[in-house]
Amino acid sequence: MKDTLQSHPHRRKEWMYILAGLVVLQLLFIAFDHASWTPFKVKEGSWFEDLSQAKLFTEWFTPYKTASHNLFTAIFAATLLPAVLIGAVKDLSSRK
């Protein structure tokens, strides 16, 4: 009985940490965007530079002025949000 009680909070904390990391990352991107500075230096002619200059990240998905911030936000959201959603659904369904 103790093992099941101890494993349940661990799963809840895991998806909360992922969500908190994503929120902190977005706050950093907001600060970097207002300071017109980026820690992500995308090399000229690289695949990431071509992708960040795509119409998707320059016209459609533009939460930030910097195209590379838009690209990394989309990548992080696409990889981290499904893990958060799955963890939250598992946590809610195990409570019932």
Side-chain angles (χ1 to χ4, degrees):
M1 185 75 172
K2 274 188 171 179
D3 293 336
T4 58
L5 292 176
Q6 289 177 352
S7 66
H8 180 68
H10 176 68
R11 185 175 58 227
R12 184 179 326 136
K13 288 181 183 178
E14 182 179 330
W15 69 265
M16 287 182 181
Y17 288 142
I18 295 171
L19 183 62
L22 186 61
V23 169
V24 167
L25 186 65
Q26 293 309 302
L27 292 174
L28 286 173
F29 281 171
I30 290 169
F32 294 152
D33 201 46
H34 287 300
S36 298
W37 179 79
T38 182
F40 303 109
K41 302 295 181 195
V42 179
K43 293 180 182 178
E44 295 270 330
S46 69
W47 185 74
F48 275 113
E49 199 263 334
D50 293 340
L51 190 58
S52 69
Q53 296 304 320
K55 190 175 183 178
L56 175 66
F57 300 112
T58 57
E59 294 179 17
W60 295 344
F61 181 73
T62 57
Y64 306 110
K65 293 181 279 187
T66 309
S68 61
H69 290 164
N70 297 334
L71 171 66
F72 287 117
T73 297
I75 291 171
F76 290 135
T79 57
L80 296 177
L81 281 180
V84 169
L85 292 175
I86 291 169
V89 168
K90 282 183 180 179
D91 186 38
L92 289 174
S93 66
S94 67
R95 285 186 180 179
K96 294 180 180 181

